[in-house]
């Protein structure tokens, strides 16, 4: 191992580094396309599919053929047999993540309990669940830091845990807790991870990551001297230093103040626009609503419902929710009446929320109720029985 | 994947496909982890270097000059201060390897979550442990030479055999780094390191033959001392300074074996900690 000046010379692995410009500077679809074509190891002849997908990721909601395409890919089940030139699934760009019947126990606790989860390439999937639902354990399974007791796991066509290292090379991970090296400079923090991910041109990768984090002018400062928001931006940029196709975000904004949260949402939004596949765990409803194309509600180690936020709302909560504020005695009576009329009711702080109130017959919903559009929060509480944040 | 070794049919000639399977113990992964240590070291090297130079000086003054002037003249035909100075290489090595490995590993794992981030990259536990051991050993190889250099000023004659001292220090430090990582992976709380220090580190360092020759000890302790890697290191350093004997080869082989064994154990124990 040669020591050159201050840095260890690192042998680059021959992985072509796509020339993807800084977030937001290039047309999103082109970047997604280039990234997908150049990074994918063996996907000749499939430009068509990738092109279609990158169009989807840049303009999903307005293009119905796109949702068809996504739908079709997810409904094929994802795990396709290996073709002659490697995992067909990965070639098609169908499943960035495919989990089947995954079980993980810690002693008597079943943290993950028969989890099925598909994340097609190019979408942002929000894994929404209350504390202890198994979100972090799922993330750890995907990075090979927990080994499943049962089930099949595939990440970008690589089977886990056997090919976990190959999968990790293509994946970026942003942890819930800040684990930057605080005495070290901003740029050295990034450079170390560029080396760990075998990036060939470390200097260029660091520059791009600095632009993402908007920390170019602070590059030589120790991390210790950064503000909380800057540190979180750096943490996110560190996970992107090798321009991964798939990014895992474990509760990216938990415990942060609203301003920093908004800053991070902007960055994650830009990443999404670039066509990067994102799996993001959260227990903030608003975060899922703003960022996720699809939400999987996780409870006690399983996905109990999945769909776009509007689909989930339509399926589980209907159109309207009526919130009633009254003394506890009266609330209990109203609740009993609504439930007797076949409506679903949940506690909402000091009030009760009668979900699907548009179906209520006259008189079930009191006249002084506040009627509002149904939200993902209604769905979350109905499904998991937990108060949302 | 079954196709891992097969050439990938490509419609774009000249576009080399990236490797599908990654090897174990990749130099790039090891160098990456070491570069993290180096980046951190650059922020604290002054303090470490200061103490690793000052410590042997203090010991040499206290033992070498103090004892040498009043009680002991020569040991095994060598002026006492030179006897202590050469032996102090072992002290420098254990204190710059076992302790940083213990505390460093514990802090990085439990307090800083550093290993969680490293293992999320394409780096495996065996690469992580190997890199940490190599880094600590490289540092110790340098710091281990300090007592020898200091002793030059008390008349220790330079000898060609001394050129091997960094190698001896490196191999011994590998072993103690592996030992330190292993204990860090086993203990539940950081204060349990007190037991490790009292039960292992201090006795090893005292019966290494640094301050007095072990052949003055009861036979039982002499046999035990043969199993002490630090004692073997002391003998090798004195061999380098005052002339080797043929069984020094066996001592060196013992140190290599010590490093190999602690390396394997450290990987197993740390993996059990980090991968659930
Ligand atoms: N290393 C571990 N040892 C023992 N139990 C564990 C371990 N990791 C997780 N668990 C348990 O597994 C369950 C799921 O935990 P996990 O951290 O995956 O939940 P989560 O959805 O991420 O929750 P949160 O929103 O609080 O982060 C919990 O009951 C937790 O106590
Ligand atoms: Mg969690």
């Amino acid at each position: 191992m040669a020591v050159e000046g201050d840095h260890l010379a690192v042998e680059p692995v021959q992985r072509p580094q796509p020339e993807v410009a800084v977030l937001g500077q290039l047309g999103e679809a082109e970047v997604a396309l280039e990234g997908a074509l150049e990074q994918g190891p063996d996907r000749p002849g499939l430009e068509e599919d990738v092109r279609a997908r990158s169009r989807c990721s840049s303009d999903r909601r307005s293009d119905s053929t796109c949702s068809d395409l996504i739908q079709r890919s997810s409904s094929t089940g994802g795990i396709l047999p290996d073709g002659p030139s490697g995992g067909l699934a990965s070639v098609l760009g169908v499943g960035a993540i495919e989990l089947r019947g995954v079980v993980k126990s810690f002693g008597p606790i079943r943290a993950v309990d028969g989890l099925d989860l598909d994340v097609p390439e190019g979408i942002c999937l929000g894994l929404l669940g209350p504390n202890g639902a198994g979100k972090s354990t799922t993330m750890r399974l995907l990075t090979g830091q927990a080994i499943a007791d049962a089930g099949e796991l595939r990440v970008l066509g690589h089977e886990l845990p056997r090919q976990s290292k190959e999968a990790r090379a293509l994946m970026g991970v942003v942890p819930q807790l800040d684990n930057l090296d605080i005495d070290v400079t901003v740029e050295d923090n990034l450079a170390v991870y560029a080396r760990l991910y075998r990036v060939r041109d470390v200097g260029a990768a660091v520059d791009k990551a600095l632009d993402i984090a908007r920390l170019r002018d602070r590059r030589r400062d120790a991390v210790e001297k950064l503000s909380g928001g800057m540190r979180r931006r750096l943490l996110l940029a560190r996970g992107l230093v090798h321009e991964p196709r798939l990014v895992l975000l474990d509760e990216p904004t938990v415990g942060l103040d609203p301003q920093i949260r908004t800053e991070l949402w902007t960055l994650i939004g830009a990443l999404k626009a670039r066509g990067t596949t994102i799996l993001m765990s959260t227990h903030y409803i608003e975060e899922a609503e703003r960022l996720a194309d699809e939400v999987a509600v996780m409870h006690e180690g399983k996905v109990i419902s999945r769909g776009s936020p509007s689909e989930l709302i339509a399926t589980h909560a209907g159109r309207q929710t009526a919130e009633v504020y009254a003394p506890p005695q009266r609330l209990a009576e109203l609740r009993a009446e609504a439930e007797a009329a076949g409506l679903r009711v949940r506690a909402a702080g000091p009030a009760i929320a009668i979900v699907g109130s548009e179906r209520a017959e006259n008189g079930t919903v009191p006249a002084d109720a506040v009627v509002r559009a149904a939200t993902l929060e209604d769905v979350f509480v109905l499904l998991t029985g937990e108060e949302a944040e | 994947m079954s196709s891992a070794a097969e050439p990938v049919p490509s419609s774009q000639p000249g576009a080399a496909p990236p490797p599908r399977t990654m090897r174990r113990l990749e130099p790039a992964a090891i160098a990456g982890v070491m570069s993290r240590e180096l980046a951190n070291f650059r922020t604290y090297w002054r303090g470490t270097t200061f103490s690793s130079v000052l410590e042997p000086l203090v010991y040499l003054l206290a033992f070498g000059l103090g004892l040498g002037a009043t009680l002991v003249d020569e040991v095994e035909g060598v002026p006492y201060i030179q006897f202590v100075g050469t032996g102090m290489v072992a002290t420098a090595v254990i204190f710059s390897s076992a302790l940083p490995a213990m505390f460093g590993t514990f802090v990085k794992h439990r307090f800083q979550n550093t290993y969680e981030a490293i293992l999320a990259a394409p780096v495996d536990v065996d690469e992580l442990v190997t890199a940490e051991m190599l880094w600590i050993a490289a540092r110790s190889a340098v710091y281990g030479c300090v007592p020898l250099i200091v002793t030059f000023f008390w008349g220790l004659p330079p000898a060609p055999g001394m050129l091997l001292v960094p190698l001896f220090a490196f191999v011994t430090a590998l072993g103690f780094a592996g030992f330190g990582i292993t204990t860090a992976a086993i203990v539940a709380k950081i204060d349990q390191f007190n037991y490790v220090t009292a039960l292992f580190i201090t006795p090893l360092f005292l019966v290494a033959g640094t301050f007095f020759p072990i052949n003055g000890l009861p036979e039982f302790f002499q046999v035990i001392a043969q199993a002490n890697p630090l004692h073997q290191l002391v003998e090798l350093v004195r061999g380098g300074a005052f002339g080797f004997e043929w069984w020094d080869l066996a001592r060196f082989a013992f140190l290599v074996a010590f490093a190999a064994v602690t390396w394997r154990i450290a990987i197993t124990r740390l993996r059990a900690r980090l991968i659930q």
Side-chain angles (χ1 to χ4, degrees), chain B residues 12-133:
Chain B
Q12 309 153 274
R20 296 288 306 202
T21 35
M22 300 179 83
R23 287 175 298 126
R24 298 186 57 201
L25 285 179
E26 282 176 273
I30 294 169
V33 177
M34 289 175 79
S35 83
R36 185 196 155 274
E37 292 294 340
L38 183 63
N40 277 277
F41 184 67
R42 281 158 63 195
T43 69
Y44 67 77
W45 67 272
R46 283 184 195 84
T48 312
T49 307
F50 178 76
S51 68
S52 67
V53 172
L54 195 70
E55 247 164 50
L57 258 177
V58 170
Y59 274 97
L60 278 176
L61 291 174
F63 282 85
L65 295 182
L67 274 181
T70 53
L71 297 169
V72 212
D73 247 2
E74 283 195 345
V75 179
E76 294 168 349
V78 176
Y80 186 64
I81 192 157
Q82 294 179 20
F83 178 84
V84 173
T86 47
M88 285 284 304
V89 170
T91 314
V93 165
I94 192 168
F95 285 114
S96 64
S97 58
L99 297 184
M102 283 158 58
F103 288 94
T105 305
F106 194 89
V107 167
K108 279 176 268 187
H109 168 39
R110 305 294 172 88
F111 299 149
Q112 298 179 352
N113 296 312
T114 307
Y115 289 157
E116 202 177 309
I118 293 177
L119 294 181
V123 177
D124 286 331
V125 176
D126 38 9
E127 290 159 335
L128 175 65
V129 169
T130 307
E132 299 281 39
M133 284 175 65

Side-chain angles (χ1 to χ4, degrees), chain B residues 130-168:
Chain B
T130 307
E132 299 281 39
M133 284 175 65
L134 285 173
W135 165 255
I136 289 172
R139 264 176 47 176
S140 283
V142 175
Y143 288 138
C145 294
V146 173
L148 211 57
I149 294 165
V150 170
T151 316
F152 286 151
F153 295 96
W154 275 276
L156 178 69
M162 288 177 180
L163 293 175
L164 289 172
V165 168
L167 175 68
F168 300 150

